[in-house]
Every structure is written in structure tokens, then in C-alpha cells.
Amino acid sequence: MTPSSTPVYGEGDATLQAVGGLTGLQTLVETFYRIMENTPEFRPLFDMHPSNIELTIDKLVSFLSGWMGGEKLFSKKYGPISLPQAHAHLIVTEKEKAMWLNCMAAALDELGYPEDLKAYLLPQLAFPAERIRQVSAARHN
């Protein structure tokens, strides 16, 4: 493969394909929540979620599918999405934002994803995480 034909993360569904398509994404999100549930440093974040973790997993897979350039499953299943609105009932500070991103990094590490994918994905995920934090701060201060 020549360098010019190498998929670039963020173009089309290259990011989704890099995590293994929908199957890989499902595994990543399941791993993310398992780590969150079973790691003391991330457990407070897990406890912020509804008790139906299967629904939470499906919502994140559905959101990330479209976010990574694949099919927009979230709007098909759940309607329009506003991440800040969906998290409005929660208090999200820099601590929770960092916990979420660190937990995702742990899931990516456990599944052996390449460093270049992690180097792309984690800063990209920080954008919606920061927006959720900003709206939370405005709402809860």
C-alpha cells in the first residue's frame, strides 16, 4: 500500500474501520465499561450511569459509529442527540472528563490498538468531553 492510499483517521469511515468496524467498536465499548466498573479509580464514573448498562453500551456504540464516520445509528434508534443535554443531569468536572478519557485509553491499550490511532482518537474524544464539561459547569455553578 502506498502512503497516499493509506486511510487517514477522520476521513470517511477510516476511524471506524481502524477500530474493527461495528464489531470492533462493540468490543471496545464493552471493554471500556467493564474497565470502568471494575477499576476503583474509574468506578465513580460507572456509578453515574443508569443501571441498564446494556442500553448505555448500545447508546455509546450507536453514537460513536456515526461520530467515527460510519452509519448514524444513534439518530435511527434514539432520535436526535445533544451530548450536553444528554448529560445535563450530571456534574461533570475536569476530574470526570479526565476519568472518562483515561478509561477509554485503558480500553484501547487492553485491546492492543496502535499508538497512532490512540494519538488521534483520544484528543478527538476530548472535544465532546470538554463541551459536556462546559455545559455542566454553566448549569451547576
Side-chain angles (χ1 to χ4, degrees):
M1 187 177 259
T2 60
S4 61
S5 63
T6 302
V8 176
Y9 302 133
E11 287 187 7
D13 69 347
T15 306
L16 181 62
Q17 294 311 314
V19 299
L22 273 179
T23 304
L25 181 58
Q26 181 76 32
T27 300
L28 174 59
V29 172
E30 288 172 358
T31 302
F32 170 72
Y33 281 110
R34 179 183 45 74
I35 291 170
M36 190 185 296
E37 181 178 16
N38 296 314
T39 306
E41 106 186 59
F42 302 131
R43 181 64 198 218
L45 203 58
F46 185 84
D47 292 339
M48 295 169 79
H49 289 82
S51 58
N52 183 350
I53 201 63
E54 289 78 21
L55 179 62
T56 299
I57 288 169
D58 189 63
K59 284 184 172 184
L60 186 56
V61 168
S62 297
F63 168 73
L64 288 175
S65 169
W67 187 82
M68 291 180 168
E71 191 176 354
K72 297 192 181 328
L73 298 173
F74 192 95
S75 58
K76 284 185 176 179
K77 289 183 178 184
Y78 303 107
I81 185 166
S82 165
L83 286 177
Q85 278 304 115
H87 297 83
H89 62 291
L90 302 172
I91 295 175
V92 178
T93 67
E94 284 292 341
K95 180 181 174 187
E96 288 80 18
K97 174 186 153 188
M99 232 188 282
W100 196 98
L101 292 167
N102 289 337
C103 187
M104 183 58 75
L108 290 164
D109 284 341
E110 181 175 308
L111 294 170
Y113 283 106
E115 289 300 319
D116 67 326
L117 176 60
K118 291 187 292 190
Y120 168 77
L121 199 53
L122 292 169
Q124 291 301 311
L125 287 168
F127 285 107
E130 175 59 15
R131 185 71 190 121
I132 291 165
R133 187 206 61 77
Q134 289 170 346
V135 170
S136 175
R139 190 170 296 230
H140 296 282
N141 282 343

